[in-house]
Each structure stands twice: as C-alpha cells, then as structure tokens.
Amino acid sequence: MNPDEILRHFGLTEPLYGAGVGRESIPSSGTSLLQSRSPVDGRLLGTIHQAGPEEYEQVMKTALAAFVHWRRVPAPQRGLVVRRIVDRLRAHKDPLGRLVSWEMGKSLTEGWGEVQEMIDIGDLAVGLSRQLHGLTIVSERPDHRLMEQYHPLGPVAVITAFNFPVAVWAWNALIAAVCGDVVLWKPASQTPLSALAVQKIVAEVLAEENLPEGIFNLIIGPGSTIGERLISDPRAPLVSLTGSTRIGRHAAGVIGGRLGKYIMELGGNNAIILTEHADLGLAVPSIVFGAVGTAGQRCTSTRRLIVHESMFDRVRDALVRAYSSLRIGNPLDANNHIGPLIDQAAVRDFAKALDHVQSEGGRLLFGGKVLDGPGYESGCYVQPALVEAENHYTMVQEETFAPILYLIRYNGDVNQAVALQNGVPQGLSSAIFTTRMNEAEAFLCPWGSDCGLANVNLGTSGAEIGGAFGGEKETGGGREAGSDAWKAYMRRQTNTINYGSAMPLAQGVRFEL
Ligand code: UN1
C-alpha cells in the first residue's frame, strides 16, 4: 500500500480539517494550512486546514455535552466500547502501522509495534473498566463507614509528540475513556495524518454504537494558539502532555497557575551501566537497539553508556562493529534497521550536538555523517554516532533527540556508576547489565537509580504497557499507561456515612445542644 492508498483506506481525502468530534470533521474558518511531509522521501502526504479558536470552542462545547452523557454510562459498558475500538485497531494494524512509518519515519516493525501498543493498552483498559475501585477504611466512630470513590473527571487534554504519534494518545485516551472522561487530542504538527486516521477509526465505532459525538475529539492546530488554549482552559481539569522539558516547564506553569492537574512526560537522558560483570552477549544488542531504534527519537532512547574501565575497549570495539553493520534507509524496507529523523531541523540539531560535544573534548568513535545521495533525498537521514565523552559535558547533560550514544568510563564500584547515571537533570529510564545480584540490587535500592524506569539486563527503551510509565526530575513526574496510573484520570472522593442514631464527632470533640 502506498501512502495515497493508505489515506484513501482511512477515508482521508482532501480537503482535510483539523477539528473533529465525530465522523465528519469540522470545516475550519481559518486559513492556516499544515503540510505533512514524509521524512522517508520528502513527499507531501497531505495538507490540513488547521483548527482555529472557533473550532476549538465548538469542540470543547461538544466534549462537555458528551461528558454529561458518558459519565453516566456504567464503566464496564464504557469498556465494551473501548473493546470495539481495540477490535477495529486490530483490523487496521497494517495500514495504520504503515501510515505511522510514512509520516514519522520509524521502521515498519516499530510502526506495527506502535499500533500493537495501542491494542495492548486498550485491552488493559477493557479489564480495568471492571476494576475501578476505591478503598473502604475503618471509621474511628461507632456505626460509621468511611470509603473512597473514584469519579469521572471531565474533558482531558492530551497533547502528544511526533515520536509516538498514536500510541501515546491510546495510553491516555483509552484509559481516560473507561474512567468516564472525554478526550481532546492535540497531536504533534509533524504527524497530523496518523491522528486523523485514528480519529476516523474511533468515530466510526462511536457512530455504530449510537453514542453522541464529542467523546473522542481531535484538534490539530499550532501550539501557540490551540496548545495554549488547551493548557489554560479551566474546562479541561487534566492535561497530559508528552514533549520536551522546555515545553513542559511552560505548560506546567500555566496549568499550575489555574490549579489544574497535569501528567508530564518530558525529556529523558537514559543511561545503561555495564559493570565488570556484565554479559556482553545480552548487552550489546540492547545498547544498539536502545540507541539507534526509532533513530534515537524515543524519550526512552539510550543516550549514555557508563562502562567499567576493564570492559571499555571490548565494548567500544563491539559497538563499532555493530554500528558498521547497520543499514540505514527507507524504514518500510524490512532490510533496513534505521529510518530518517523527523525533519531537517532534527538533522541540524544532531550535527550541532556532535560539533559541540567535540569542542568540549568528546571523541567521535564512529558515524555522525549526514547522508545524501540516492535514497536519502529527503535530507533527513544520518549515520548514528558513537562518542567517547564525560558525563559533565554540557551536551551529555542535555537530551538531543537523535542517535548519539555517549560512552563514559568509570573505574570504581557500582555506586560510582549509579552516581554518574543519576548525575543528569532528567530521570526517565535507566538500566544495568550485571550478573551479580548485589550490583543489581544496588541499582534498584532506595539510593540506586533515581529514574521512573530501572531495568536489569535489558535496555532502556521498549517498556511494556502493564507498568506505570514516566520519570522523575525534569522528566516531569507523571505516570501513564498501566498499574494504577488510571487514578490520575479520575477524581477521588472520600465519603463518611453515619448509619447509627447518634452524632459522634471525630477526634473526640464534644458539642451538645
Ligand atoms: C516515548 O518515547 O514517548 O518504552 C514513549 C518505550 C515505548 C514508549 C516510548 N513503549 O520505548
């Protein structure tokens, strides 16, 4: 299927509009156009009329009206609707995965993997729809009951990044939906067509179920207008934002200023530690996938490798060998390991970071070229880079969203490696390779890794959806996906019920009339 066929398959024929509450999108009154260009070969995939303030208002009003209905639907029935959406995603896995690959540039196996991630979280949400539970707590007063309930929260704003153009929506939207919320989705400007395809799939199911429009909504528009409106709108009690620390810091200020709730999933600077007891047979493929998978554009991508001095030369040589065998090119060709970066701006950031780190003393060990010539006409392909560096370099302290792996030596014990791993402002994902139990436990213990994700003998990326996903420090502190992350999408209410005939006060306070 070529991109035109995929878009036709999803009924995405021009004119395309950025605002949608149901099956038909809302024609935009504004004139702002957004072009989606494929980083694979530079072709124009489609042009979207972006939403303006009027469409925003229409979407928000429809969402609020839908919420009034949706929150009354019993949660297990909401789960059945999500189940139908998941069935439909299963049926569309191939074309949707392909569209993600064309529009974002990730390899096709990762494009399919991304749709699988949507399916997995959807399955989890269906199960969860029968498990939304609070506690009951013993009361200190006779004939009293104390309990907690979780109630739907309202419209949830979901702002997603280009690197997982559809899965991160699903983590948020499918969980929010079983919780009884409605969702307003603002996707990244680089990947609007993938979002439009998902909106079509979902709206189709809702129409078949005779549900009102406005449960799942899409608003494609510039961050400076639509994004700002979403974060400052008190009608959206929760904003879930995936993006850079810079954007997250701004949004957290705005949302915090109105005392709204947020889930932030921001930058990572993820490290793998290789101790002197690491099994390199396990470690090397994990490092390479972590560093070059999705062309280094996952928030969980491996950016730093902290290697014990005694292993350093062996590891460096093994990585140079592995990097030499990587095939870079069209991500829809299964022979290639790595596709393009998202756009030429990302390529410029990659080149700038490499220049900068070398000016700080970093040594380029392999790669780092911007590729041109046949197959690379889009100008978005680069050769992944290996750089020997030190942890305190400015560039090593920052997240560059590109395939650059910094190799850092240590010569002490595991605690020294952990201190280096923790010695950055971000705190998303981390990993250690060791066959020694005491080293693994030192990494996982309370004074070990300070990240939201900490793995033993596997890499930093590719988390399953069953666990809570997110990180500490500048990563923003939010948690999405599995475990009890659903609680953030609901409001908690504590209830005290008196079933006796007296009116005792708590804390033994006496008040008699
Ligand atoms: C992201 O890069 O924003 O753990 C999400 C992973 C994927 C999700 C990454 N399951 O790499």
Side-chain angles (χ1 to χ4, degrees):
M1 265 180 146
N2 65 37
D4 288 339
E5 288 165 344
I6 298 171
L7 292 174
R8 268 204 304 279
H9 168 86
F10 287 115
L12 296 176
T13 47
E14 299 201 356
L16 296 166
Y17 295 104
V21 294
R23 256 206 281 216
E24 299 307 322
S25 46
I26 304 170
S28 315
S29 49
T31 51
S32 156
L33 294 179
L34 177 68
Q35 291 192 330
S36 173
R37 219 166 255 291
S38 172
V40 174
D41 59 4
R43 79 173 73 189
L44 181 64
L45 295 170
T47 302
I48 293 106
H49 298 256
Q50 299 198 86
E54 284 167 35
E55 291 79 55
Y56 176 89
E57 223 20 62
Q58 198 175 332
V59 169
M60 180 54 95
K61 290 210 172 103
T62 313
L64 285 164
F67 175 59
V68 170
H69 172 85
W70 187 237
R71 68 181 170 188
R72 297 188 67 140
V73 175
Q77 286 183 34
R78 297 194 293 252
L80 291 181
V81 175
V82 170
R83 189 166 85 181
R84 301 244 7 239
I85 293 172
V86 177
D87 288 345
R88 207 56 65 87
L89 287 170
R90 279 198 167 88
H92 290 293
K93 180 172 170 179
D94 178 58
L96 188 56
R98 282 176 194 277
L99 180 56
V100 166
S101 289
W102 275 107
E103 197 174 36
M104 185 279 164
K106 62 177 66 180
S107 67
L108 185 52
T109 175
E110 291 185 69
W112 286 328
E114 175 152 4
V115 183
Q116 187 58 46
E117 196 157 341
M118 303 173 84
I119 293 167
D120 293 346
I121 196 77
D123 281 346
L124 185 137
V126 175
L128 197 56
S129 71
R130 288 187 177 269
Q131 306 240 339
L132 304 172
H133 60 275
L135 293 172
T136 56
I137 301 134
V138 286
S139 171
E140 68 187 53
R141 287 173 277 189
D143 301 339
H144 277 57
R145 182 154 62 89
L146 196 52
M147 67 176 198
E148 288 179 341
Q149 299 189 83
Y150 284 88
H151 289 315
L153 192 57
V156 176
V158 177
I159 302 175
T160 56
F162 75 84
N163 64 333
F164 275 81
V166 291
V168 173
W169 168 84
W171 292 359
N172 286 281
L174 300 182
I175 299 286
V178 297
C179 290
D181 301 329
V182 297
V183 177
L184 287 84
W185 180 18
K186 188 192 123 31
S189 296
Q190 296 98 329
T191 52
L193 294 169
S194 302
L196 280 166
V198 169
Q199 175 71 9
K200 281 271 182 193
I201 293 171
V202 170
E204 202 71 42
V205 171
L206 294 194
E208 288 164 15
E209 296 286 312
N210 288 318
L211 285 160
E213 295 188 329
I215 296 171
F216 293 97
N217 308 282
L218 182 64
I219 319 172
I220 299 170
S224 57
T225 54
I226 295 299
E228 286 299 317
R229 249 166 224 271
L230 266 179
I231 60 177
S232 51
D233 194 334
R235 293 171 295 181
L238 172 67
V239 178
S240 175
L241 184 148
T242 305
S244 66
T245 296
R246 188 183 57 77
I247 292 174
R249 208 186 291 281
H250 164 71
V254 175
I255 303 161
R258 64 172 168 94
L259 299 179
K261 300 213 270 179
Y262 54 76
I263 300 170
M264 295 277 164
E265 212 261 277
L266 312 174
N269 193 351
N270 318 300
I272 292 181
I273 296 172
L274 292 189
T275 79
E276 51 198 312
H277 307 294
D279 175 341
L280 288 191
L282 285 181
V284 171
S286 309
I287 297 163
V288 179
F289 177 71
V292 311
T294 331
Q297 299 169 107
R298 291 193 188 209
C299 49
T300 52
S301 290
T302 310
R303 313 217 174 273
R304 297 177 296 140
L305 189 64
I306 299 166
V307 190
H308 193 268
E309 183 68 48
S310 62
M311 314 276 275
F312 193 89
D313 291 355
R314 258 201 305 154
V315 169
R316 179 197 57 210
D317 294 349
L319 287 177
V320 168
R321 258 197 317 278
Y323 270 53
S324 314
S325 69
L326 292 173
R327 287 182 298 275
I328 306 159
N330 187 324
L332 287 107
D333 177 345
N335 287 314
N336 290 325
H337 299 103
I338 309 164
L341 290 179
I342 185 68
D343 53 25
Q344 293 179 4
V347 173
R348 287 193 290 277
D349 289 346
F350 167 81
K352 256 195 272 175
L354 285 176
D355 282 349
H356 191 153
V357 75
Q358 289 179 83
S359 74
E360 291 186 276
R363 279 201 323 125
L364 185 66
L365 302 172
F366 185 86
K369 289 198 196 71
V370 175
L371 299 171
D372 54 19
Y376 302 134
E377 288 85 356
S378 69
C380 297
Y381 292 85
V382 302
Q383 201 184 20
L386 292 170
V387 178
E388 186 175 348
E390 290 184 35
N391 203 53
H392 63 265
Y393 293 172
T394 331
M395 278 336 281
V396 179
Q397 293 283 312
E398 280 178 22
E399 176 191 50
T400 303
F401 227 52
I404 302 175
L405 181 65
Y406 298 118
L407 275 65
I408 298 159
R409 299 169 190 256
Y410 79 98
N411 51 23
D413 64 8
V414 67
N415 297 317
Q416 188 200 5
V418 171
L420 286 167
Q421 126 72 31
N422 291 347
V424 291
Q426 310 82 355
L428 179 56
S429 186
S430 58
I432 191 169
F433 280 82
T434 179
T435 49
R436 290 282 167 93
M437 189 250 225
N438 55 346
E439 289 183 335
E441 293 294 329
F443 180 70
L444 300 180
C445 78
W447 50 94
S449 166
D450 63 3
C451 291
L453 308 169
N455 300 332
V456 177
N457 291 332
L458 69 149
T460 58
S461 69
E464 300 176 19
I465 51 85
F469 183 92
E472 304 299 332
K473 298 175 2 193
E474 284 191 359
T475 303
R479 290 296 185 277
E480 296 168 321
S483 184
D484 65 351
W486 61 270
K487 290 182 178 171
Y489 301 82
M490 304 199 81
R491 62 185 171 86
R492 185 199 304 233
Q493 186 177 68
T494 303
N495 309 121
T496 312
I497 299 145
N498 177 2
Y499 55 88
S501 50
M503 187 60 83
L505 297 174
Q507 295 89 41
V509 172
R510 299 184 70 81
F511 184 80
E512 270 151 33
L513 288 176

